[in-house]
Amino acid sequence: PVRAPARPPPSPPHRGPRPSPLLPLPVPHIEPAVDSLTGRGVTFKRYAGTPGETDDKGIFRKGGIVIAWLTDPAANIISVIEQ
C-alpha cells in the first residue's frame, strides 16, 4: 500500500512579491471599504501621471472599473474592486 508522507513537502523558496495582483477582494461599494481599511491603518497605493492614475484615496475610477490596490506585508499586491 502507498502511504501519505508524514508531513507535507516544503514550499518552494520565496522569490519575492508577485508582479500582478494576488487577490481581488470584491466589495459592493469601494469608497466606504477604502475608508474603513484606511481608518484601520491600511495604505492604498497611489499612482500619478500614468494611465492607471488614482485619486487622493488611491481609487482608480476610469474605464468603467473602480478599483484600489494595497500591498500585504510580503509586498504582494491585493486589489479591492467594486462590483
Side-chain angles (χ1 to χ4, degrees):
V2 177
R3 292 184 178 177
R7 54 187 170 168
S11 299
H14 180 65
R15 295 194 174 125
R18 294 173 49 93
S20 60
L22 173 68
L23 177 67
L25 300 173
V27 296
H29 304 287
I30 198 164
E31 199 145 343
V34 167
D35 290 344
S36 176
L37 290 167
T38 300
R40 293 176 181 179
V42 173
T43 302
F44 284 85
K45 298 182 75 56
R46 291 188 173 90
Y47 300 101
T50 68
E53 186 167 359
T54 58
D55 64 15
D56 61 339
K57 290 186 176 189
I59 302 172
F60 174 81
R61 302 174 188 269
K62 301 173 186 165
I65 188 169
V66 183
I67 189 169
W69 298 275
L70 59 125
T71 55
D72 70 8
N76 293 298
I77 300 169
I78 298 170
S79 60
V80 177
I81 185 166
E82 186 172 278
Q83 295 198 333

